[in-house]
Amino acid sequence: LTAWVQPLAADESPVTPGVMQVISLPQWQGVLKDQLPDVVVADLWASWCVSCIERFPKMVDLVERFEGQGVSFVTLNLDDPQDQSGIDWSNDFLAGLGGEFGHYHLDENLTESFEALDLMSLPVVLIFDSKGLERHRLTNDNPNRQFTEADIEAALKALLKAPSSN
């Protein structure tokens, strides 16, 4: 692995801007739990997903707009661990965006990862309430209904107003 990708120990969850931390599926669950009691937005993406790349800057804008409102943002990159050029490209892409939130790379087989995370395609945005329950799963699985940043924002505003999020 390159110097950009740093393995994550089981007991640490650093946030290094523009650098993906390598994690396993169990560690990913820990990353999500570490964000609580915030509402958590998890953006799942890969370098080969054109719509992921196109909409990623809008996610960075959402991070800035929801700063200080009890919302945490994290990303999970699903590039194949054997595709070093994809991982390098993804790190360069993140570094260029300057997003100041946690970026992680899942060091697992792609097919097994999709199965474990119950994914059909990318991008996917998962939104968890303040208790860690998945409340929204925004996908592009339906070609006639693609999600937008307005969908993410509406879901966040609804969760932040809900009594269970306080």
Side-chain angles (χ1 to χ4, degrees):
L1 297 177
T2 67
W4 280 98
V5 181
Q6 303 168 8
L8 182 65
D11 62 344
E12 69 175 323
S13 58
V15 174
T16 307
V19 177
M20 294 188 299
Q21 302 298 314
V22 179
I23 61 173
S24 64
L25 281 166
Q27 289 172 319
W28 172 243
Q29 295 305 314
V31 165
L32 295 174
K33 287 179 185 169
D34 288 347
Q35 309 306 312
L36 301 177
D38 283 358
V39 169
V40 181
V41 178
D43 188 358
L44 284 58
W45 68 290
S47 64
W48 44 263
C49 171
V50 174
S51 57
C52 296
I53 303 307
E54 289 174 346
R55 51 166 286 290
F56 207 98
K58 296 173 184 169
M59 184 63 71
V60 174
D61 291 342
L62 284 172
V63 170
E64 293 169 3
R65 286 206 318 259
F66 281 90
E67 186 174 357
Q69 297 182 43
V71 180
S72 290
F73 290 80
V74 293
T75 70
L76 183 64
N77 175 276
L78 294 168
D79 278 306
D80 187 314
Q82 304 304 313
D83 180 11
Q84 191 60 51
S85 64
I87 294 169
D88 291 343
W89 186 93
S90 294
N91 276 309
D92 290 344
F93 174 74
L94 291 171
L97 287 177
E100 304 263 334
F101 50 105
H103 300 292
Y104 301 91
H105 171 69
L106 193 58
D107 192 26
E108 306 272 348
N109 173 281
L110 187 61
T111 303
E112 292 171 10
S113 298
F114 265 62
E115 185 176 308
L117 296 168
D118 194 26
L119 303 176
M120 292 179 62
S121 65
L122 292 176
V124 172
V125 172
L126 306 174
I127 303 176
F128 300 87
D129 69 14
S130 63
K131 297 179 192 300
L133 300 173
E134 183 180 320
R135 296 295 184 182
H136 299 276
R137 180 175 284 253
L138 304 172
T139 73
N140 284 346
D141 293 346
N142 178 350
N144 297 316
R145 173 63 177 107
Q146 306 292 297
F147 76 91
T148 67
E149 67 276 0
D151 296 322
I152 299 168
E153 190 167 356
L156 285 173
K157 286 180 179 179
L159 281 174
L160 292 172
K161 289 180 184 176
S164 65
S165 294
N166 297 328

